């Protein structure tokens, strides 16, 4: 019995060894077949990528690469004409495929209109001035699709712009949301838009002018001390009494202009709308800014406006005592005047910088008379 048991054990071991060996052979064949299939699929995929993928472009701008507007940073356009098709990425992070040159470009506001004019695309522009009817969600987008039949819709980045772009996409309408939150980004977006709309030559000239202004301002204020600024955009009125003040802060284009021009904004709070950050008089007095700037509304257009020098409690501020209160024109910060606005802002904050005579007539002092800088 003992011999039989030994034989059975050996036979069992032998069979188990054969089974394991066979499994290894089968596994090897399976792995080999799978690898061969993957290699073939990879080769086919690479061939499709080379032959079919549209041209991807990068504007050759020297601005920071954060939040790049164009996919694939290592490919650049040669020459001024745009090689379609191409892919671009907008301020919402959406990738937009553009098969051919857009001819019907729809915009909705003054900022978009000025931006496209500056980018040399005025002839392609269709201004949609209508709004949604009946309060239906995204009715405006539906009207744009039905009434204008655009090749492309250009939107300025801001509250609700990404949502609007998403609604247009569902209707089959391509849109591009332009990031214009800083001056350098506007310079970059001018070039990007010029590439997208095949108006690169004009757009590049506008972009270069703006970049040159940025460099000049940065150089001119590099050796001066920064000054603090309160930048007001509106008043909160209840029963003809001022209850609060609206100021601009981080996220507003003018906040970036202020930083470039050697200023420090006393309003550092973040808000969904960076142009409507609520301030009270106590916080303004505590900050005691060197300068006060007023924009967003003018005396002629707003009954609620009250001169800073006439406001109770404001006479204790250093900016009021020193006469450093300025009202800015409604056009301040427009893309078309951005270069001169930025230069003049640096001169307002730093009077020791010699002002250019061509820019002296753009500002008024707080009582509506010609500023002493113009004499």
């Amino acid at each position: 019995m003992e011999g039989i048991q030994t034989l059975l054990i050996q036979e069992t071991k032998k069979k188990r060894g054969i089974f394991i060996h066979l499994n290894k052979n089968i596994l090897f064949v399976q792995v080999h077949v799978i690898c061969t299939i993957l290699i073939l699929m990879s080769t086919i995929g690479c061939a499709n990528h080379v032959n079919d993928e549209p041209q991807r472009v990068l504007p050759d701008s020297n601005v920071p690469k954060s939040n790049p507007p164009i996919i694939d940073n290592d490919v650049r356009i040669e020459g001024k004409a745009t090689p379609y098709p191409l892919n671009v990425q907008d301020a919402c992070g959406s990738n937009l495929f553009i098969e051919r040159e857009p001819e019907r470009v729809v915009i909705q506001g003054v900022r978009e209109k000025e931006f496209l004019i500056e980018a040399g695309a005025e002839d392609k522009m269709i201004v949609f001035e209508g709004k949604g009817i009946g309060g239906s969600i995204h009715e405006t987008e539906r009207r744009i699709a039905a009434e204008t039949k655009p090749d492309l819709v250009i939107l300025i980045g801001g509250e609700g712009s990404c949502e609007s772009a998403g609604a247009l996409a569902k209707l089959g309408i391509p849109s591009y949301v332009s990031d214009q939150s800083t001056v350098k980004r506007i310079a970059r977006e001018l070039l990007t838009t010029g590439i997208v709309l095949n108006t690169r030559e004009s757009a590049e000239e506008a972009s270069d002018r703006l970049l040159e202004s940025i460099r000049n301002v940065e150089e001119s204020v590099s050796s001066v001390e920064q000054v603090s600024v309160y930048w007001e955009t509106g008043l909160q009125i209840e029963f003809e009494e001022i209850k609060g003040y609206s100021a601009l802060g981080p996220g507003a284009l003018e906040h970036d202009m202020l930083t470039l021009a050697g200023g420090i904004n006393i309003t550092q709070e973040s808000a969904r709308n960076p142009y409507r950050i609520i301030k009270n008089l106590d916080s303004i007095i505590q900050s005691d800014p060197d300068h006060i700037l007023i924009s967003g509304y003018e005396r002629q257009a707003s009954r609620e406006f009250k001169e800073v020098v006439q406001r109770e409690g404001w006479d204790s501020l250093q900016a009021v005592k020193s006469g450093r209160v300025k009202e800015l024109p409604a056009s301040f910060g427009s893309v078309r005047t951005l270069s001169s606005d930025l230069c003049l802002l640096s001169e307002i904050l730093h009077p020791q910088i010699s002002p250019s005579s061509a820019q002296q007539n753009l500002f008024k002092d707080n009582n509506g008379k010609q500023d002493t800088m113009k004499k």
Side-chain angles (χ1 to χ4, degrees), residues 268-288:
Q268 291 294 328
E269 303 92 326
S270 297
R272 188 172 183 180
N273 185 344
Y275 291 92
R276 290 291 181 266
I277 299 174
I278 305 304
K279 307 283 288 186
N280 58 53
L281 181 56
D282 290 340
S283 66
I284 298 171
I285 290 175
Q286 185 176 0
S287 299
D288 196 15

